[in-house]
Amino acid sequence: MTLLKVEDLKVYFPVRGGVFNRKIGDIKAVDGVSFDIEPGETYGLVGESGSGKTTTGKAVMGLNNVTEGKIYYDGELLNADKKGQKVDIRKDIQMIFQDPYSSLNPRKRVLDIVAEPLRNYEKMSKKEEKETVQRLLSRVGLGPESMVKYPHEFSGGQRQRIGVARAIALKPKLIIMDEPVSALDVSVQAQVLNFMQEIQKELNLTYLFISHDLGVVKHMCDRIGIMYNGRFVEEGLKEDIFNDPQHIYTKRLVAAIPDIDPRNRKENIDFRERVKDEYSNSYYDYFNEEGLAYQLKPITDTHRVALPEKG
Ligand SMILES: Nc1ncnc2c1ncn2[C@@H]1O[C@H](COP(=O)(O)OP(=O)(O)OP(=O)(O)O)[C@@H](O)[C@H]1O
């Protein structure tokens, strides 16, 4: 059964102006997005800055008001009525943010940081709480001495591990990861990503993985949705997106991935130039007059592309 189902999600933010600070328009941060995530998979949301990835993730977390559309978790409507929402569902979904330093309170010790969700949701004695935190930290590869330290005493990679320990404290099923390694040195990125994959297998977690970095997404994700201007331009299995991109925007993103093999460099530069030209020449075949993507249409069982009606 599908774990998360997002149906025609729209999140608009009001734009105010004029002398009376009236609403004069909307920023359509997310403008009709639909996707499903199956249990145990890693679903990637990719797009450039401002394309609406974080807003989508926050809407699933209940951190943004939904303008229109439906979000179902395990068959249950999440955005029906906030008061009616079951606490259990909220425990099931956790979010990890980009910069582990700013998302961990610098004035709190690790014990208090990791114990915070436990204190909010579970009734535990101090002893039980300490044992639980110790177990969670050991799961992410940190020793018990970490409990009395502050975030600044750790490296970036370790801080992201503390973030993971906190996120898994309530035994969630779905974790939304928003650019979880973008703030880390490239050298530790792979380490943290591999560790996140191990934890996923061990705890049977489902990931919604948000990133602008296609290289990272290729490493992590089973299926991918490509966002542009609040809409999807393409969605498919990792293989569909990387081996057979159909939308000009996806083609350009995929062509821009640097090739580490210097022997391919010249060939790649030429290819990139060709795709760039194709992008400028065919932009209006792929976007409407407002610069928005069309509705997604299936081209195979696994692959959907935003092409105009006639296309
Ligand atoms: N609370 C808000 N109020 C007004 N506008 C907002 C708010 N949050 C996001 N936006 C706007 O919505 C659009 C989408 O932002 P969002 O953060 O979802 O994009 P993103 O793809 O995650 O980009 P980034 O990677 O830079 O975070 C942007 O134009 C942004 O300025």
Side-chain angles (χ1 to χ4, degrees):
M1 187 181 178
T2 300
L3 189 68
L4 184 79
K5 187 173 190 60
V6 174
E7 254 180 32
D8 203 19
L9 175 69
K10 295 183 181 164
V11 182
Y12 295 173
F13 296 107
V15 182
R16 296 186 185 278
V19 190
F20 300 107
N21 202 27
R22 283 211 195 97
K23 187 180 151 186
I24 52 169
D26 284 308
I27 294 177
K28 298 182 174 179
V30 179
D31 193 24
V33 153
S34 305
F35 60 97
D36 293 347
I37 309 185
E38 302 303 318
E41 82 172 336
T42 300
Y43 188 95
L45 271 188
V46 185
E48 63 200 52
S49 182
S51 56
K53 310 177 298 289
T54 299
T55 306
T56 305
K58 283 187 171 172
V60 173
M61 261 312 272
L63 298 174
N64 267 336
N65 281 333
V66 169
T67 309
E68 241 182 271
K70 293 188 170 113
I71 303 171
Y72 296 93
Y73 173 80
D74 215 2
E76 202 157 333
L77 188 62
L78 274 187
N79 62 314
D81 170 14
K82 288 249 175 321
K83 281 175 248 150
Q85 209 167 86
K86 287 186 186 157
V87 172
D88 281 355
I89 295 190
R90 280 281 146 240
K91 277 169 57 178
D92 271 8
I93 310 176
Q94 296 294 319
M95 192 156 178
I96 290 175
F97 295 92
Q98 171 174 2
D99 180 357
Y101 196 61
S102 60
S103 62
L104 304 179
N105 188 334
R107 281 184 290 273
K108 284 191 174 168
R109 290 177 196 273
V110 168
L111 170 66
D112 296 311
I113 290 172
V114 178
E116 196 186 342
L118 299 170
R119 288 172 193 165
N120 289 339
Y121 286 102
E122 316 261 344
K123 285 196 172 62
M124 280 186 178
S125 68
K126 283 285 158 211
K127 183 166 171 284
E128 265 178 310
E129 179 185 287
K130 210 169 161 184
E131 281 165 8
T132 309
V133 170
Q134 195 168 329
R135 215 173 35 245
L136 288 164
L137 288 171
S138 121
R139 185 145 242 170
V140 300
L142 295 170
E145 72 289 349
S146 315
M147 283 199 286
V148 292
K149 292 188 182 167
Y150 292 92
H152 73 264
E153 297 177 68
F154 296 89
S155 70
Q158 286 172 325
R159 283 200 286 264
Q160 201 51 295
R161 285 167 189 262
I162 297 168
V164 172
R166 179 176 59 182
I168 61 175
L170 297 171
K171 303 193 179 80
K173 296 204 176 81
L174 174 68
I175 300 189
I176 302 167
M177 304 196 159
D178 191 358
E179 303 273 7
V181 295
S182 306
L184 304 177
D185 285 349
V186 177
S187 56
V188 284
Q189 284 191 358
Q191 233 179 54
V192 172
L193 291 173
N194 289 339
F195 149 75
M196 282 168 176
Q197 283 180 323
E198 281 162 28
I199 285 272
Q200 177 176 32
K201 266 196 222 113
E202 255 175 68
L203 304 180
N204 205 13
L205 295 167
T206 304
Y207 287 163
L208 172 56
F209 193 91
I210 296 173
S211 177
H212 69 280
D213 185 335
L214 267 190
V216 165
V217 163
K218 192 174 187 181
H219 182 79
M220 288 297 283
C221 300
D222 305 303
R223 286 192 305 129
I224 297 163
I226 311 272
M227 283 189 85
Y228 177 81
N229 243 345
R231 296 188 177 181
F232 271 22
V233 297
E234 189 155 356
E235 188 207 45
L237 296 173
K238 173 164 66 182
E239 295 74 19
D240 295 328
I241 299 295
F242 286 95
N243 304 341
D244 189 26
Q246 294 291 319
H247 197 281
I248 189 61
Y249 183 74
T250 318
K251 284 187 193 173
R252 215 178 81 161
L253 278 186
V254 172
I257 302 173
D259 200 305
I260 21 178
D261 187 343
R263 284 170 303 181
N264 299 334
R265 202 161 286 157
K266 166 91 178 69
E267 208 177 296
N268 275 333
I269 291 171
D270 292 347
F271 177 63
R272 217 167 286 156
E273 282 305 311
R274 277 204 306 281
V275 174
K276 222 166 104 188
D277 286 345
E278 194 189 339
Y279 186 85
S280 352
N281 296 334
S282 64
Y283 182 88
Y284 288 104
D285 298 338
Y286 289 91
F287 295 102
N288 70 16
E289 57 282 2
E290 293 168 83
L292 297 171
Y294 294 99
Q295 289 276 329
L296 287 179
K297 295 176 188 66
I299 58 162
T300 69
D301 285 353
T302 57
H303 196 173
R304 297 192 294 157
V305 189
L307 295 172
E309 281 308 329
K310 57 185 184 308

